Amino acid sequence: MSQLLEVSGVSVTFDGFRAINNLSFAIGSAELRAIIGPNGAGKTTFMDIVTGKTRPDAGRIRWGDKGISLLGLNEAQIAREGIGRKFQKPTVFEDQTVQENLLMALKAKRGAFSVLFWKPQPADLERVRALATEIGLEDALPLKSGTLSHGQKQWLEIGMLLAQEPRLLLVDEPAAGMTPAEREHTTAILVEAAKTRAVVVVEHDMEFVRRLDCRVTVLHEGAVLAEGSLDHVTANKEVIDVYLGR
Amino acid sequence: MRRRVLASLGLLLVVFGTFAQSPAAQPASPEAAPMQDILQEHAAIITKSSRKTIGPAIDAVAGSGLGSAQRVLEAWQAKEMWQRQSDGLFFHAQKTDTGYDLIDFDSGESVGVASKDALQQIKPNSGIRALLAVALVQFQLSDPDPTRRAEALLSLERDPTSGALAPLRTSIPGEGDPVLLANKQRLERLLTIAYGSSDEERTQAIDDMAGDLGVDVRATLNPLLVTTRKVYEGALPEGVNVALRLTPGGERLSRTEAYALLAEQNLAPAPVTADDIRTTLAAHIDGGYVGGVPLAQLSDPARRIAAYEALVDAQKAAPLLTEADITDLLAAYVFADIYAEPSTAVTEAANAALRRIETKVQLNQTLDLGLDALSLGSIYFLAAIGLAITFGVMGVINMAHGEFIMMGAYTGYVVQQVIPDHTLSIAVAIPLAFGVTFLAGVALERLVIRWLYNRPLETLLATFGVSIALQQLAKNIFGTQARPLTAPDWLGGAWVLNDVVSISYIRIAIFGLALIFLGLFLFIMKRTRLGLETRAVTQNPGMAASMGINTDRVNMLTFGLGSGIAGIAGVAIGLFAKVTSELGQDYIVQSFMTVVVGGVGNIWGTLLGAGLIGGLQKSIEWLNPSNTLAAQTYMIIFIIIFIQFRPRGIIALKGRAAGD
Amino acid sequence: MNRSFFARNPSVLVFLATLGLATLVITAASEGLGLGLISTSMVKTLGKTLCLALIAVAMDLVWGYAGILSLGHFAFFGLGGYMIGMWLMYERTSQIVTQNLANAPIPPTAEEISDAIGSQIFGVVGSAEFPLIWSFADSLVIQLLLVVAVPGLLALVFGWLAFRSRVAGVYLSILTQAMTLALALYLFQNDSGLRGNNGLSGLQNIPHLDQVPQSVLSVWFLWASALALALGYVFAAWIVSGKFGSVIRGIRDNESRVRFLGYSVERYKLFIFTVTAMIAGIAGALYYPQAGIINPAELAPVASIYLAVWVAIGGRGRLYGAVIGACFVSLISTWFTGGQAPDINLGFYTFAWVDWWTILLGLSFVLVTLFAPKGIGGLFDLIATRNEETQE
């Protein structure tokens, strides 16, 4: 099976502290994957590396069918390659309306001049409406996104990710601070998204991970500790030690 | 009217006094008076007082070997030698209330008082006085009083004469004072270079002084190498000391210059310039035409020449020289720079010595530059260290920081108005400046900055508002003219290593102050509770607060500390710069640059940044010494480029701690 | 498209109408073309104010919308002024010199004319040679292009260097301030080729328009300034109303989020920085012929900070706020520091506005930053929301 993203032997050090230690990881083109691990396991740093925010000291990252390297690209270029990222804290542009937020994220040319002369076509507005419906914000389109609730902001951000039409979605703790009903909705959105693209969810909450019902990768001290179904990894002795032992 | 009465009364008194005392003046014994004899022998030329004829008289006195010779020469030079009209004898006369007290040269004793009418003053003109001064040098150089000897030596150094060489040499063996001896020997060498009798003697002296950095050595050597540009017909004559042969059209001498030289010496007709052509043409306008060319066409240079040639043909103008003519003319002459000094050996030795000195001077200049850079760097460091706390550690950008420096300087000025003693006033001003700016900083933090934490751009603008308000306030209070802040006298001089390397004590003091502050900063940040809490609050205010640290208080104190240090820096800067309301502005950009270049949040970075910026500015100034403005321009451009490669400064925080 | 643009941005129409009306009123009251109620120097002041409003719009674009607090835009303004000043001074001097030499018995050669102009212009800095940068000073078209090109190029190079290495926030502000200082210090030199601290003068005399009195010229310049402001305003409003506006506001609020959306933040910043520098250049080119003189002191870093002050007081992030701020603060400052305001005698102390105005301005600036971050423009929002509430 050809892999969409292949991370091999990546290491990164901050002032002597090894945040990522010879990490290898791969994901297929339409797969849902959860990454779990205790604090400081390197989950966020892993996402930073894939999205170009942090440059690794060693290792390779191959992407797509042609297996191009992501190491020489900056954040924007990586995003344009088709990797979308959702942050732990919901980051939407609060000063702008939901529609503006989604339009900005909508897949289109990203160059300054094309954007300057870009005008929304009816098809674009239709797409935005469809996305808004999918994330349950169709009534909120003209509202400033700063007025949305915490959960709505999370969905808006996921909606913006979907609008980018990425081939790989990196989602950092999407369910944090959500009500059970909101969690349900979020799970549904993610599972639906994973049918057409790769989705990596970083999560603490085992209950949420169980609901996603997917392969799980356990990170510990910057390296992969175990991989498999949730039941498989929770039965692993080392994983139990890491989570419970200390 | 009243004055005249008084004057005549005075005269009466004088006359009376003379009569009353004159019997006592008689007993001067006629035997043993060798000096008086010599003077009498030359009385004619002494009274004639002509520079041309006076020589034998001075030589006779100076060469008499008598102890009184110096007294005679000095009195003579000071216009205090008088001749008694009654018997023609010469005396040293000093004016007293009653008349002139006459002192016999031989005995050195007073022989009585005489009225002015009975005396004739010997008035040597300036030429004679100069000769007398030369004659005096040998006596003064051997004078028993060391201060007199030092004075004589000093005057000789300032105004060396050829005649002084011999007396100087004679005075050396008897010199007891080691300092004076060294000075004398040195001056002897210099005088030998300038006036030595033989070439060997002079080249020897030049070689002796070749390694010396003194300005006086260069001042002695340079005149030997003065050249004049000369033109000779055909070939160089024998016996001239050629510095450089010049070829017209070469690098050193353009054809135009060479030709101008010929014209100057009437060896060739004066060159016809474009101006000459225009004037000549203008003088020969004839009904709208000049030389057959219509006036309107004369804006074309080629037509102008044509018109001029026509005038030449009509013999109304001096002919233009063609390039070939000029070449021919120049070929007939030899151009050369000729030394005024005839001896080749001497000029060669002088050249070699100057080259050696030059190398040494450059080496020392580099050292001097290093010291300058160090001193400038410490000034920047001093200005920036307060900022390293407020901006570097706390992350607060305070545009009014420069105004705190200014406040410190004005505090120093005000203290000096109250306490006149400079040393004491500075000692009072430093803690007071700290106090004033500490309070100002605390007030600024409480009233403005604390509402704007985590909004750096707003902080920048609000503190800028404070900055312009404070500047204007200073203008309203102290006016726009510069106020002096005077350093104590013991900081006045400079530490002079040699004639090239020197550094003023103020700068050394500032360097020391910078070091003290560095130590203080390190101590406070690493060893005190406040430092620990400050670091905790800046790294994670929430966590620090939850651990029981009063973040408000810590922020306030830290900001006050940074501002207080700016105040002290202000006193130091005010000591060498004029205190004006714009004092702070001049340093604020450089200070921020220092912190940014060094790396925010790291005091060693600030130190390196200050050193780098100071060194850089001095080096650029050295490359283009005439233009300090350009130096600053290039320095800022360098910094902009530097930040390209090290956006976080020389010493950068890495990883997540650096934040975004 | 235009219809929909104005329909979406009614405030632009309001602004244009206000500007047009103000221009008409000033013209009708001017000495040159109207009733003579407003002196020529006042017309000039108002024309200059419009230019300042234009650069404030540019500043609002770059700071209020894109979040780049540039402390260098007045340098671009000054450069624009220098570029047009070169032509004005050259052409004017050339006219005078040609006139003088026309009386000479022999018609002058081209070289003589050029030498005479050179010594006339550069005599004050002890030179008669034309520096290289004056190569095109005889061409109005090229100098007009340079008005835009020189600030634009400087902004492009500087911005590329700065944004590329991700210098942002206060660091960028300090860096732009340093750039301004470097430029001002450079221009202060006598061998900068721009007459050192003498600057360029006599710019109010427009070549070939000798017959037109200053009173009329001042109105013409007022119109030109108003037109430039109108165009600049519409352009800025067009930029910020579309997706580009969304992106730059996004950059202002959360730069890295925009980056992860796939936008090259640096390019957008560079674009807006350069475009606003060009607008600043145009504003400067219209300002200095009305001021009559430009010298390096105009480029001092403090001028750029004042620009930020105007925009902040007017209300950043809204274009009319920038215009209001620039007009209000600069006019009121002119009035107070010009000595026109009557001093207040408190008996024990005479309160001279000339001395105290700057202090009050500085303090009011602190107050605005602290208590009214939206500036005067925020008041309009307040009124607007009130109206909406009462309508409901």
Side-chain angles (χ1 to χ4, degrees):
Chain A
M1 190 176 96
S2 86
Q3 301 289 6
L4 181 66
L5 177 76
E6 209 177 312
V7 175
S8 45
V10 166
S11 297
V12 69
T13 309
F14 295 134
D15 282 339
F17 167 67
R18 287 220 136 187
I20 296 288
N21 189 7
N22 196 20
L23 176 86
S24 296
F25 176 88
I27 189 166
S29 51
E31 189 186 344
L32 183 60
R33 177 77 63 89
I35 295 182
I36 60 172
N39 274 331
K43 300 182 301 262
T44 304
T45 308
F46 164 71
M47 292 178 104
D48 282 350
I49 289 172
V50 173
T51 54
K53 194 179 171 196
T54 301
R55 291 199 186 276
D57 304 329
R60 284 182 309 147
I61 304 177
R62 299 204 156 280
W63 165 257
D65 312 321
K66 290 178 193 154
I68 61 164
S69 168
L70 292 182
L71 291 180
L73 304 182
N74 64 31
E75 295 101 308
Q77 286 165 328
I78 290 174
R80 288 202 291 270
E81 278 296 323
I83 298 180
R85 176 174 186 185
K86 194 202 133 342
F87 287 84
Q88 198 169 327
K89 222 177 110 202
T91 43
V92 295
F93 301 105
E94 310 213 343
D95 195 33
Q96 307 192 32
T97 63
V98 171
Q99 167 142 329
E100 281 172 324
N101 268 290
L102 287 172
L103 276 177
M104 210 197 300
L106 208 60
K107 188 179 170 81
K109 283 191 177 165
R110 296 303 206 215
F113 285 95
S114 351
V115 168
L116 192 59
F117 294 102
W118 186 86
K119 274 190 299 171
Q121 304 302 321
D124 298 320
L125 295 174
E126 196 40 54
R127 172 99 180 99
V128 165
R129 184 157 294 281
L131 276 166
T133 316
E134 192 180 342
I135 56 174
L137 290 175
E138 67 270 34
D139 299 330
L141 275 177
L143 294 183
K144 285 250 166 97
S145 61
T147 62
L148 300 178
S149 74
H150 179 81
Q152 284 173 316
K153 283 182 193 165
Q154 297 274 38
W155 290 335
L156 175 57
E157 199 176 1
I158 293 173
M160 287 166 74
L161 276 184
L162 295 175
Q164 275 178 268
E165 295 176 23
R167 295 175 64 194
L168 170 64
L169 254 173
L170 299 171
V171 190
D172 202 350
E173 298 198 22
M178 281 188 170
T179 62
E182 285 173 337
R183 280 164 185 246
E184 198 101 356
H185 190 175
T186 309
T187 316
I189 295 172
L190 291 176
V191 170
E192 178 61 32
K195 285 180 183 159
T196 50
R197 70 203 78 214
V199 176
V200 175
V201 181
V202 168
E203 189 50 80
H204 261 319
D205 184 342
M206 285 298 179
E207 208 42 50
F208 186 79
V209 173
R210 185 170 299 284
R211 214 172 291 154
L212 288 175
D213 187 27
C214 62
R215 259 172 92 82
V216 173
T217 301
V218 186
L219 286 192
H220 176 57
E221 291 183 347
V224 174
L225 192 66
E227 202 168 279
S229 72
L230 187 62
D231 292 332
H232 172 79
V233 298
T234 45
N236 185 317
K237 171 120 189 354
E238 279 181 282
V239 174
I240 296 169
D241 279 353
V242 165
Y243 264 91
L244 304 173
R246 304 186 194 181
Chain B
M1 181 69 196
R2 193 172 158 197
R3 257 188 163 176
R4 195 173 288 172
V5 172
L6 276 178
S8 36
L9 257 175
L11 196 68
L12 264 176
L13 273 173
V14 170
V15 172
F16 175 75
T18 318
F19 278 116
Q21 301 239 339
S22 50
Q26 290 304 330
S29 57
E31 67 265 34
M35 181 52 75
Q36 191 62 264
D37 293 345
I38 294 171
L39 290 174
Q40 288 306 320
E41 194 183 315
H42 296 96
I45 50 176
I46 291 175
T47 46
K48 193 183 166 207
S49 265
S50 160
R51 186 176 187 275
K52 283 185 185 140
T53 53
I54 200 74
I58 296 177
D59 289 348
V61 175
S64 66
L66 296 171
S68 57
Q70 187 181 355
R71 280 205 307 275
V72 173
L73 292 171
E74 278 171 358
W76 192 354
Q77 189 188 25
K79 299 185 189 170
E80 282 173 3
M81 182 156 83
W82 296 65
Q83 189 178 29
R84 190 154 65 195
Q85 279 175 342
S86 55
D87 51 12
L89 291 180
F90 293 98
F91 292 100
H92 183 193
Q94 275 170 337
K95 195 171 183 186
T96 61
D97 291 342
T98 49
Y100 284 84
D101 188 14
L102 300 181
I103 298 157
D104 183 59
F105 285 122
D106 286 298
S107 65
E109 281 159 21
S110 173
V111 293
V113 179
S115 94
K116 196 179 176 185
D117 295 348
L119 297 169
Q120 176 76 43
Q121 187 180 17
I122 308 297
K123 290 180 180 166
N125 60 29
S126 60
I128 296 175
R129 286 207 306 279
L131 293 175
L132 286 168
V134 173
L136 265 171
V137 163
Q138 59 169 306
F139 297 104
Q140 288 165 348
L141 285 172
S142 313
D143 197 283
D145 180 1
T147 47
R148 296 280 303 269
R149 293 206 299 275
E151 274 169 24
L153 206 55
L154 199 68
S155 78
L156 197 54
E157 275 168 16
R158 263 193 231 120
D159 193 13
T161 52
S162 57
L165 182 55
L168 179 63
R169 282 180 181 162
T170 36
S171 82
I172 288 175
E175 179 60 57
D177 185 316
V179 178
L180 281 179
L181 181 64
N183 283 348
K184 278 183 176 177
Q185 280 166 340
R186 182 183 168 81
L187 189 60
E188 188 271 331
R189 291 285 82 191
L190 292 178
L191 287 180
T192 309
I193 292 175
Y195 308 112
S197 52
S198 72
D199 289 351
E200 292 73 38
E201 198 184 57
R202 294 173 70 192
T203 47
Q204 181 57 45
I206 290 172
D207 288 345
D208 286 351
M209 300 307 285
D212 197 292
L213 277 179
V215 176
D216 49 355
V217 177
R218 275 170 281 163
T220 313
L221 288 175
N222 279 323
L224 298 181
L225 298 174
V226 170
T227 61
T228 36
R229 191 154 287 181
K230 287 195 173 156
V231 187
Y232 299 100
E233 192 164 358
L236 282 172
E238 287 294 311
V240 291
N241 188 359
V242 180
L244 188 70
R245 249 194 93 157
L246 301 155
T247 349
E251 244 175 79
R252 304 284 184 93
L253 183 73
S254 73
R255 281 167 61 91
T256 330
E257 282 167 353
Y259 189 84
L261 212 60
L262 287 184
E264 212 173 84
Q265 304 195 359
N266 292 322
L267 297 171
V272 179
T273 63
D275 270 353
D276 296 338
I277 294 179
R278 201 186 54 232
T279 334
T280 315
L281 291 178
H284 293 93
I285 297 173
D286 185 11
Y289 287 85
V290 182
V293 180
L295 266 183
Q297 288 181 10
L298 289 180
S299 61
D300 178 354
R303 299 298 294 152
R304 276 195 185 183
I305 301 288
Y308 189 83
E309 294 285 5
L311 290 180
V312 173
D313 289 345
Q315 302 208 325
K316 285 175 181 166
L320 283 175
L321 286 165
T322 63
E323 288 298 305
D325 294 341
I326 294 173
T327 312
D328 287 350
L329 264 170
L330 292 178
Y333 294 93
V334 179
F335 297 85
D337 285 337
I338 305 295
Y339 287 118
E341 166 65 48
S343 161
T344 323
V346 170
T347 51
E348 269 171 17
N351 261 323
L354 267 180
R355 267 198 300 276
R356 250 185 296 171
I357 290 176
E358 200 48 48
T359 326
K360 223 172 157 182
V361 163
Q362 269 171 11
L363 210 69
N364 278 277
Q365 269 173 346
T366 317
L367 181 66
D368 194 48
L369 192 74
L371 281 177
D372 266 8
L374 202 64
S375 133
L376 190 68
S378 51
I379 290 166
Y380 285 151
F381 180 73
L382 209 54
I385 187 164
L387 215 57
I389 296 176
T390 56
F391 178 50
V393 176
M394 296 176 72
V396 171
I397 187 146
N398 178 15
M399 295 302 274
H401 189 83
E403 276 57 51
F404 286 164
I405 293 178
M406 172 213 37
M407 274 166 88
Y410 272 120
T411 308
Y413 164 73
V414 170
V415 169
Q416 281 200 339
Q417 300 312 104
V418 180
I419 305 172
D421 181 82
H422 290 159
T423 308
L424 186 62
S425 64
I426 296 297
V428 173
I430 286 180
L432 199 64
F434 180 87
V436 167
T437 47
F438 177 88
L439 290 179
V442 166
L444 183 64
E445 202 275 341
R446 284 290 89 184
L447 293 173
V448 180
I449 288 168
R450 74 162 154 156
W451 309 108
L452 299 171
Y453 280 118
N454 300 322
R455 283 156 67 195
L457 290 183
E458 268 91 341
T459 315
L460 188 155
L461 289 170
T463 50
F464 170 71
V466 175
S467 148
I468 56 175
L470 284 178
Q471 247 184 60
Q472 183 63 39
L473 197 65
K475 258 183 216 149
N476 290 359
I477 298 173
F478 297 101
T480 43
Q481 77 270 43
R483 301 288 178 173
L485 181 56
T486 320
D489 290 337
W490 48 270
L491 275 178
W495 180 52
V496 181
L497 205 65
N498 55 42
D499 278 6
V500 181
V501 187
S502 71
I503 181 164
S504 67
Y505 286 128
I506 282 197
R507 290 184 171 245
I508 296 175
I510 285 173
F511 181 70
L513 203 60
L515 284 184
I516 291 170
F517 275 125
L518 175 65
L520 192 72
F521 179 93
L522 288 173
F523 174 76
I524 290 177
M525 284 297 149
K526 306 257 151 116
R527 292 264 182 272
T528 65
R529 183 83 198 159
L530 176 66
L532 182 70
E533 292 185 353
T534 306
R535 283 183 290 147
V537 169
T538 44
Q539 273 163 28
N540 191 336
M543 181 63 88
S546 65
M547 290 177 73
I549 295 175
N550 183 345
T551 53
D552 266 11
R553 196 180 135 270
V554 169
N555 277 332
M556 184 181 84
L557 288 180
T558 317
F559 195 83
L561 179 71
S563 308
I565 291 181
I568 300 182
V571 177
I573 289 171
L575 287 178
F576 65 89
K578 287 270 176 241
V579 183
T580 68
S581 61
E582 272 135 28
L583 173 80
Q585 251 196 340
D586 299 341
Y587 287 92
I588 189 73
V589 176
Q590 271 90 345
S591 302
F592 273 116
M593 287 290 141
T594 304
V595 177
V596 172
V597 165
V600 173
N602 190 306
I603 192 67
W604 298 108
T606 308
L607 191 65
L608 281 175
L612 182 76
I613 290 182
L616 201 67
Q617 184 163 343
K618 279 292 158 196
S619 329
I620 300 172
E621 271 175 30
W622 179 67
L623 291 175
N624 184 6
S626 62
N627 212 329
T628 47
L629 287 179
Q632 292 198 37
T633 310
Y634 296 131
M635 188 192 70
I636 294 170
I637 291 172
F638 169 84
I639 289 170
I640 292 173
I641 293 167
F642 174 85
I643 288 179
Q644 297 306 304
F645 297 101
R646 298 215 67 136
R648 295 194 185 279
I650 300 174
I651 297 181
L653 296 173
K654 276 192 206 138
R656 283 209 198 164
D660 245 349
Chain C
M1 187 246 155
N2 268 342
R3 235 186 73 213
S4 71
F5 166 69
F6 284 117
R8 275 184 287 125
N9 298 280
S11 69
V12 175
L13 281 180
V14 175
F15 172 77
L16 291 179
T18 316
L19 179 64
L21 194 68
T23 313
L24 277 181
V25 169
I26 298 168
T27 308
S30 69
E31 272 180 1
L33 296 173
L35 304 169
L37 299 174
I38 302 180
S39 70
T40 299
S41 72
M42 190 63 201
V43 174
K44 284 189 177 183
T45 304
L46 292 169
K48 286 191 286 181
T49 307
L50 293 182
C51 299
L52 296 178
L54 179 57
I55 188 184
V57 167
M59 182 69 184
D60 200 15
L61 264 187
V62 77
W63 178 36
Y65 285 91
I68 305 164
L69 176 51
S70 160
L71 297 180
H73 267 59
F74 228 85
F76 302 132
F77 184 85
L79 278 180
Y82 264 106
M83 289 305 127
I84 198 67
M86 282 159 78
W87 178 77
L88 287 170
M89 201 160 177
Y90 178 89
E91 196 67 18
R92 168 97 181 139
T93 315
S94 150
Q95 262 186 330
I96 295 170
V97 164
T98 318
Q99 256 165 34
N100 287 350
L101 288 179
N103 301 328
I106 305 289
T109 61
E111 200 190 332
E112 280 170 355
I113 294 178
S114 148
D115 283 353
I117 299 173
S119 60
Q120 192 76 27
I121 295 180
F122 299 107
V124 284
V125 288
S127 164
E129 298 283 307
F130 270 101
L132 206 61
I133 48 171
W134 285 69
S135 306
F136 306 109
D138 57 341
S139 160
L140 175 60
V141 178
I142 294 181
Q143 287 300 137
L144 281 178
L145 283 177
L146 290 180
V147 161
V148 189
V150 169
L153 199 67
L154 177 62
L156 192 70
V157 171
F158 178 85
W160 183 75
L161 288 172
F163 298 136
R164 195 185 65 104
S165 49
R166 300 226 173 141
V167 178
V170 287
Y171 296 93
L172 188 81
S173 304
I174 295 172
L175 211 57
T176 50
Q177 191 182 28
M179 176 201 78
T180 314
L181 183 66
L183 188 66
L185 288 176
Y186 178 77
L187 288 174
F188 265 118
Q189 298 170 53
N190 277 345
D191 52 5
S192 67
L194 289 165
R195 298 181 14 124
N197 64 352
N198 304 289
L200 307 181
S201 55
L203 309 184
Q204 73 277 20
N205 304 310
I206 312 300
H208 310 300
L209 292 177
D210 311 325
Q211 279 75 37
V212 184
Q214 285 289 324
S215 58
V216 177
L217 267 182
S218 64
V219 180
W220 289 3
F221 265 102
L222 178 82
W223 291 346
S225 309
L227 182 68
L229 175 58
L231 291 176
Y233 193 92
V234 172
F235 176 70
W238 174 69
I239 280 191
V240 299
S241 70
K243 184 157 133 183
F244 192 92
S246 275
V247 175
I248 57 171
R249 276 183 291 156
I251 291 172
R252 173 191 69 193
D253 295 336
N254 194 336
E255 189 175 314
S256 68
R257 186 74 189 87
V258 178
R259 215 171 258 138
F260 286 119
L261 281 177
Y263 293 96
S264 293
V265 168
E266 288 69 34
R267 300 234 176 114
Y268 281 78
K269 283 184 167 179
L270 189 56
F271 179 89
I272 203 77
F273 191 68
T274 308
V275 165
T276 51
M278 289 171 164
I279 298 177
I282 295 172
L286 280 165
Y287 180 93
Y288 286 106
Q290 303 182 65
I293 182 166
I294 178 168
N295 59 48
E298 301 276 325
L299 276 71
V302 70
S304 292
I305 304 185
Y306 271 115
L307 181 60
V309 171
W310 299 338
V311 175
I313 288 184
R316 67 198 126 110
R318 58 205 78 224
L319 294 170
Y320 55 87
V323 174
I324 293 170
C327 294
F328 178 71
V329 183
S330 76
L331 278 179
I332 210 171
S333 295
T334 313
W335 193 62
F336 278 122
T337 54
Q340 277 124 311
D343 293 348
I344 301 170
N345 197 340
L346 299 175
F348 60 94
Y349 182 79
T350 308
F351 188 86
W353 284 105
V354 179
D355 289 342
W356 286 91
W357 167 245
T358 315
I359 295 177
L360 292 180
L361 182 67
L363 293 181
S364 65
F365 190 45
V366 177
L367 296 179
V368 166
T369 317
L370 283 180
F371 301 111
K374 288 180 175 175
I376 301 173
L379 291 177
F380 286 80
D381 289 4
L382 220 60
I383 297 165
T385 25
R386 284 265 169 78
N387 284 348
E388 270 173 32
E389 278 166 13
T390 48
Q391 273 165 22
E392 281 169 23

